[in-house]
Amino acid sequence: MKSLELLVERIILSSRWLLVIFYLGLVAALGLYGISFMYKLAKIASMVFVYDDAQMILAMLALIDAALVASLIVMVMISGYENFVSRFDEGDAEVSFLGKLDAGSLKIKVASSIVAISSIHLLQIFLNTQQYTDQQLMWATIMHLAFVVSAVLLGYLERIMVGLKKKVASAGRQSRRSWS
């Protein structure tokens, strides 16, 4: 019976390597998104003397939005692989920031990125209000506020969890001292 249990545990632990398929898919998606970004950039460059200030601002916001989405993809790929599949063996200096991306901080960074992306999208909408109905403007604002509230709540919950971990660690140290 114990050998069956060990086999099941090995299978479950090995299944984490299936996540690599998703991370490699994200690498491919990032490459495709990079091609899309270069197309947008070339289009903007060809229109640089045609666009007025508002159009140029909207174009730049679209590029910033794309950069934030790309950064979000990279963040999820690297920290997901590091947290759920395997530690990076080589290039410690290149990935030194990974120690700061545990599951809790990743959630906060993802939520912050989503809020930033939503903010840019909302700004783009408000710069083009004539293209939207009042109801569309209202719903875009409500959705953005939902993202903001969600990010704040995630941050608050993470702060509570860090506090609880500190209390548990402190209680453990206190308990060890009393046994000495």
Side-chain angles (χ1 to χ4, degrees):
M1 197 62 162
K2 188 68 173 172
S3 61
L4 178 62
E5 180 181 346
L6 288 173
L7 176 66
V8 169
E9 288 172 1
R10 279 192 200 125
I11 291 170
I12 290 171
L13 284 174
S14 297
S15 70
R16 74 185 189 277
W17 286 96
L18 292 173
L19 289 170
V20 171
I21 296 167
F22 295 94
Y23 300 133
L24 292 175
L26 286 175
V27 169
L30 185 61
L32 293 172
Y33 200 52
I35 292 168
S36 170
F37 179 85
M38 294 306 293
Y39 173 76
K40 289 175 189 174
L41 180 61
K43 186 177 174 184
I44 293 167
S46 70
M47 301 297 286
V48 72
F49 297 113
V50 177
Y51 283 166
D52 64 16
D53 286 345
Q55 290 171 315
M56 189 54 80
I57 290 170
L58 285 171
M60 293 301 116
L61 287 174
L63 294 178
I64 292 168
D65 192 35
L68 286 171
V69 170
S71 299
L72 183 61
I73 292 170
V74 169
M75 190 182 348
V76 169
M77 284 188 307
I78 292 174
S79 63
Y81 182 86
E82 175 82 6
N83 285 317
F84 302 115
V85 179
S86 179
R87 300 274 179 215
F88 287 96
D89 295 329
E90 296 181 19
D92 288 337
E94 291 180 34
V95 291
S96 62
F97 62 93
L98 288 176
K100 300 176 185 94
L101 284 177
D102 63 354
S105 64
L106 176 63
K107 287 180 205 172
I108 302 302
K109 288 182 184 292
V110 168
S112 299
S113 296
I114 290 171
V115 168
I117 291 165
S118 175
S119 297
I120 289 171
H121 182 68
L122 192 60
L123 181 56
Q124 288 172 322
I125 288 172
F126 283 131
L127 289 174
N128 279 322
T129 54
Q130 68 278 5
Q131 294 180 1
Y132 298 93
T133 66
D134 287 344
Q135 188 172 6
Q136 288 173 317
L137 292 171
M138 177 193 68
W139 281 111
T141 304
I142 289 171
M143 286 174 36
H144 174 70
L145 289 174
F147 290 140
V148 170
V149 168
S150 296
V152 168
L153 288 176
L154 275 173
Y156 181 70
L157 290 174
E158 180 63 17
R159 188 173 180 186
I160 290 172
M161 293 304 294
V162 167
L164 288 174
K165 287 178 186 176
K166 285 181 182 178
K167 284 182 182 177
V168 168
S170 175
R173 284 191 301 271
Q174 198 72 351
S175 160
R176 283 190 295 270
R177 283 185 203 147
S178 67
W179 284 98
S180 323

